[in-house]
Amino acid sequence: MSQSTNELAAVTEGRPPELIPLPGGFSLRRRTVADAPELNAAVTASLDHLRPWMEWAGETPSLDHTREMTRAGVDAWQAGSDFMYLLGADDRPGSVVGAFGLHGRIGPGALEIGYWVAVDHVGHGLATAAARALTEAALALPGVGRVEIHCDEGNLASAAVPRKLGYRLDRVDDFAPTAPAETGRRLIWITERPTA
């Protein structure tokens, strides 16, 4: 176990599925270091689409940087703090048309879903289908009772996803924008495990 893994705080003792089939011939698969070249190509091809809302999309990532990020994701999965996935087409093994994650950065008992879809796959319901599957996977994990989706108030496409899934808008937080199109108002959407 690397030192970075030791520093990551586990959100759950469980692990979500490494492969999650979605409707329409797509799947979410656990991200690995071997995926770095396809992930780098997908990010690079969608930079103009991602840049308005994603601070990290400010410049083209090198392949070495993408490899480093995928290694960090592998460590986080092993630590139980974050679970990183790639969205791909089933008929193109290894393809990357988006990236999704369950992130433990919001505190105990909860995971935050983060996502982006490649520019040529936007508008086909992929983000909604993947977020639905990840919501179910997260709430099935031991110790996780809440899932959140955060997005800027101006990012209407991202805000449509939790709305379609029946998340409730819990609050709007002010923040210092870090990406060009951000308004400085973050929508915090929440869903919780049903109580018996």
Side-chain angles (χ1 to χ4, degrees):
M1 195 180 289
S2 70
Q3 183 176 5
S4 62
T5 303
N6 290 329
E7 296 170 2
L8 300 171
V11 174
T12 179
E13 294 301 316
R15 298 294 179 271
E18 293 190 14
L19 181 67
I20 304 174
L22 301 176
F26 290 87
S27 294
L28 289 168
R29 68 180 185 277
R30 179 181 173 179
R31 189 176 78 184
T32 69
V33 176
D35 291 309
E38 285 291 332
L39 175 57
N40 185 269
V43 167
T44 300
S46 292
L47 273 180
D48 289 340
H49 165 66
L50 298 171
R51 189 171 289 123
W53 306 109
M54 307 282 189
E55 176 185 14
W56 55 261
E59 54 188 65
T60 305
S62 69
L63 181 54
D64 285 343
H65 176 74
T66 303
R67 280 193 182 104
E68 180 182 314
M69 296 307 294
T70 57
R71 279 188 202 98
V74 168
D75 289 346
W77 186 293
Q78 291 170 341
S81 65
D82 291 81
F83 308 100
M84 308 301 287
Y85 289 89
L86 295 175
L87 174 66
D90 294 341
D91 63 355
R92 290 184 289 128
S95 64
V96 175
V97 298
F100 290 74
L102 293 171
H103 306 287
R105 59 190 169 211
I106 56 174
L111 287 166
E112 177 190 346
I113 297 178
Y115 50 87
W116 63 267
V117 174
V119 65
D120 54 345
H121 287 81
V122 170
H124 301 288
L126 293 172
T128 303
R132 177 180 288 113
L134 287 179
T135 299
E136 293 169 3
L139 291 175
L141 292 169
V144 177
R146 186 177 82 250
V147 180
E148 298 184 5
I149 294 176
H150 300 184
C151 64
D152 187 86
E153 185 175 58
N155 191 340
L156 301 180
S158 281
V161 171
R163 188 177 290 116
K164 289 176 191 174
L165 295 178
Y167 279 60
R168 69 178 166 80
L169 181 59
D170 184 67
R171 65 189 184 280
V172 180
D173 290 344
D174 293 330
F175 73 102
T178 57
E182 288 180 329
T183 65
R185 292 176 50 81
R186 181 174 292 126
L187 305 178
I188 311 297
W189 298 88
I190 293 179
T191 194
E192 295 171 306
R193 179 183 291 147
T195 55

